Structures are given as C-alpha cells and as structure tokens.
Amino acid sequence: MKPTVFIPEPIADAGMNMLAEKATLVAPWRDGHKPNDNELRSMLYTADAAIVRLFQVTRSDLEQPNQLKVIAKHGVGVDNIDVNAATENGIPVVYTPTANANAVAEHTVALMMALARRIEPAAEAVKQGRFSDRTQFQGVELAGKTLGVVGLGRIGARVAEIAAFGLAMNVIAYDPFVAQLSSETPYTLAESIEKLFGSADFITFHVPLTADTHHLIGESRIPLLKADCRIINTSRGAVIDEVALVSALQDGRIAGAALDVFEKEPLPADHPLCLAPNILLTPHISSSTKESLDTMAIDAVQGVLDVLEGKTPQFPFGTGATS
Ligand code: NAD
C-alpha cells in the first residue's frame, strides 16, 4: 500500500509530481478546502509523513498516537517543529538547507536598497498624484557604508558577499561559531555583537531562533546603535523585540527597519509595526522565488521518500539544533 503524505500548505508542482506516483497525497489546499485545526491534526496523525512550511508540529502532536515516520521542513528554520520531541519519538526530521539561501539573500539586499532609497513611500507618492513630493525622498548610498551581518551561515555569508563585492560596502560579521575567515574573504569578523551594533550603518540578521537569539536586539542594545542605523530582518521575528523596535523608530533613535518575519504571523493590519515610521514590511516572502520554491519542494519530497524507502536522507536535521 502507498504511504500517505500530509502536505498542509502549498508546495511547488515539481515536488507534488515527484510524490504523486509513490504516495497518497493529503493536500486539502488543492481543491480549495480549508480544514479547521482539528481536521488538520487528524490528517497529521493518520499520515506516514508530513511536509510542512510554517505549519506547527508540537510536542503534544508528536505524543498523540500517530503513524508518522518522517517530517520534512520545506525551508530552513525548523522552529515550527518540535525536533526534540520528534527525535524522542523516533521520527526523523529532514529539511532543505541549501534550497533558499540565495533567494533570502537577494530579498535581504532588495530590502536594504529599498530602505536606503525610500522606494516604498516614493512609489506610493507617485501613485497618489504627489509627484512633486519627490524632494522629500532623499536617500543614502550603500557604497562605503558599513553593513553588520549577524549570523554567518549560508544566507549571512551570501548577503556579505553581495554587499562587499557588488555594492562596495564595508562588511563586518558576528557569529560566535565562526572563529576565523580565510584571507580572501571580502569581510571581517567583529570582536563582539556590541562592536558590530555600534559601528554599522545597516544591520542584517541571519540567525536561527533559539533561546540565545531571542530578542537579540531590544531596549538594552538599541542605545548602542547609530541614530542613522537601519535594520533588516529576514530570519525570524522574535530575534528582534518588536515593542522596542517600534519605540526606537518613533523616537528617531534609529533611521529605519525592513522586516520579512514577525513574532506572530500573520501580522494583523492594526499591529503597531504597521503604523511605525520608516518601516518596510513584507509577508514572509524572502524565499518565495520560482527557483527556490521548486528546489525546496523537490528536496523536501526527496527527503521524505528516502526515509520511507529506508535510505539515508541527504539533509537530516540534527537532534536538538534549531537552525
Ligand atoms: P545557517 O544554519 O546556515 O546559519 C545560521 C548561522 O547563525 C550559523 O552560522 C550560526 O553559527 C549562527 N548563529 C547561531 N547563533 C548565533 C548567535 N547567537 N549570534 C550570531 N550568529 C549565530 O542558516 P541559514 O540558512 O543562513 O538561515 C538562517 C535563518 O534564516 C534560519 O534559521 C531561518 O530561521 C531563517 N530563514 C528565513 C527565511 C524566510 O523566508 N524569511 C528563509 C530561510 C531561512
């Protein structure tokens, strides 16, 4: 009998087609069905495998009677899956770490450029017939400015390369797990996160959400930032204390922020972030390119098939880690 694979959120046809011959697919979104939470949980517990994007798989789910043999994360940040509980219950977690790094890095750079040149409010002014407001949209240039990259993994390193080679920025990076860089690397390591915060004109976050990275920047560290500093976050919302960020933007203690991720998603339209000045918000789309969505779907499906077929998956997620 074919295994059942639960896919609660849309994934690319490239992955769905790979699975179609080998598994029974439970993918309610394909016919527009919007199951309630109980129905979704029951689909999860009766599946042999699940492929999830932001769908939460909690300890409580994994301690219910279920027949899961593998969970695949379509993406990198596995903080929506309780990996420890999965491991304790003998359920491997696979993920797609190489599929979306370039997409996220390019979105990060797009947000940084849009912030620097005030693209969003300027474009809005044209559409609203306020062309002559153009004098209000003076920007800043990136060349020669200092970019601080927090987290020098796949995405952070790619952003650092683009900024250093492509935009002539001075790039400094902070990552407690990176001790040194090769002499050819076009950026340097900051001695501490405080040093990075104090010297950067732009700061971008590329860390996993863990107890150590929760509210990595908040009221206590905002005073370290330059008043013309702009912050970009495409990692996870809770890496930044949103209340402190709104307050800093309102008081002009920092010059701007661009966020793709939020402490609670979806972000409601009346959230204080939506009303803050000099802010640019996108709805968690950093990895949403055709190329990256195809590769994430293919890699997630391959990981599921490998485990179900008794093979070693290419990208198992390590026990207890949360990148
Ligand atoms: P990665 O594992 O390659 O890199 C993460 C880096 O963060 C590692 O080098 C690690 O050493 C470093 N790090 C860990 N703790 C740190 C700390 N306290 N301070 C500084 N650095 C620290 O992961 P990646 O592929 O580069 O992705 C980074 C994060 O981006 C993911 O964990 C995920 O949450 C997020 N992400 C978001 C999207 C999106 O759509 N917005 C897409 C992909 C990934």
Side-chain angles (χ1 to χ4, degrees):
M1 203 169 79
K2 285 181 180 180
T4 300
V5 181
F6 173 49
I7 309 167
E9 302 136 296
I11 69 168
D13 287 347
M16 294 296 283
N17 294 341
M18 264 174 85
L19 260 186
E21 280 177 21
K22 300 191 169 182
T24 302
L25 307 187
V26 179
W29 46 273
R30 285 195 299 182
D31 55 14
H33 179 45
K34 290 200 174 134
N36 62 31
D37 197 54
N38 281 344
E39 291 170 316
L40 287 168
R41 299 291 139 197
S42 136
M43 291 172 190
L44 177 68
Y45 305 151
T46 52
D48 297 292
I51 298 176
V52 301
R53 294 180 66 171
L54 297 177
F55 184 84
Q56 298 277 334
V57 183
T58 64
R59 174 170 287 277
S60 149
D61 287 326
L62 296 166
E63 289 177 349
Q64 302 286 327
N66 69 69
Q67 57 185 59
L68 285 168
K69 294 169 188 69
V70 55
I71 302 167
K73 166 72 187 193
H74 174 289
V76 185
V78 298
D79 41 279
N80 56 318
I81 302 169
D82 193 322
V83 178
N84 290 328
T87 306
E88 283 163 32
N89 285 282
I91 304 167
V93 174
V94 295
Y95 72 141
T96 65
T98 58
N100 62 14
N102 188 62
V104 179
E106 289 187 6
H107 191 70
T108 302
V109 173
L111 291 176
M112 178 166 65
M113 295 181 97
L115 267 187
R117 299 307 300 268
R118 309 194 61 203
I119 300 285
E120 190 194 29
E124 205 49 42
V126 175
K127 286 192 209 157
Q128 292 173 356
R130 295 185 288 108
F131 197 97
S132 52
D133 281 0
R134 57 191 285 276
T135 50
Q136 294 174 18
F137 300 118
Q138 177 184 299
V140 292
E141 294 183 27
L142 299 179
K145 296 290 187 315
T146 298
L147 170 65
V149 176
V150 182
L152 204 47
R154 285 169 290 261
I155 299 170
R158 179 78 186 119
V159 170
E161 269 175 22
I162 297 172
F165 284 131
L167 300 171
M169 298 184 81
N170 303 315
V171 181
I172 52 174
Y174 172 76
D175 189 320
F177 302 100
V178 176
Q180 64 178 56
L181 301 172
S182 90
S183 56
E184 282 105 65
T185 309
Y187 45 86
T188 54
L189 287 176
E191 280 167 42
S192 65
I193 197 165
E194 285 77 16
K195 282 256 165 73
L196 181 148
F197 282 167
S199 51
D201 301 298
F202 292 83
I203 299 172
T204 182
F205 292 90
H206 302 290
V207 292
L209 178 60
T210 65
D212 288 341
T213 63
H214 183 264
H215 288 188
L216 206 49
I217 187 150
E219 264 320 327
S220 64
R221 282 179 165 152
I222 283 175
L224 299 174
L225 305 179
K226 293 159 81 169
D228 56 1
C229 181
R230 292 168 173 84
I231 292 175
I232 301 114
N233 186 16
T234 58
S235 63
R236 282 292 179 266
V239 168
I240 295 183
D241 178 341
E242 293 174 346
V243 175
L245 177 69
V246 168
S247 158
L249 288 165
Q250 283 168 342
D251 302 349
R253 285 181 285 149
I254 61 169
L259 311 177
D260 182 54
V261 286
F262 306 94
E263 294 206 47
K264 189 159 173 11
E265 297 180 5
L267 187 74
D270 59 355
H271 192 283
L273 280 172
C274 300
L275 304 170
N278 300 316
I279 197 160
L280 173 58
L281 309 173
T282 56
H284 203 142
I285 56 161
S286 293
S287 61
S288 296
T289 60
K290 159 110 182 77
E291 296 84 348
S292 157
L293 289 167
D294 280 354
T295 312
M296 283 192 284
I298 289 168
D299 287 358
V301 166
Q302 191 60 55
V304 162
L305 291 175
D306 284 345
V307 175
L308 293 178
E309 290 167 3
K311 298 179 195 154
T312 304
Q314 189 179 5
F315 300 119
F317 191 82
T319 312
T322 51
S323 71

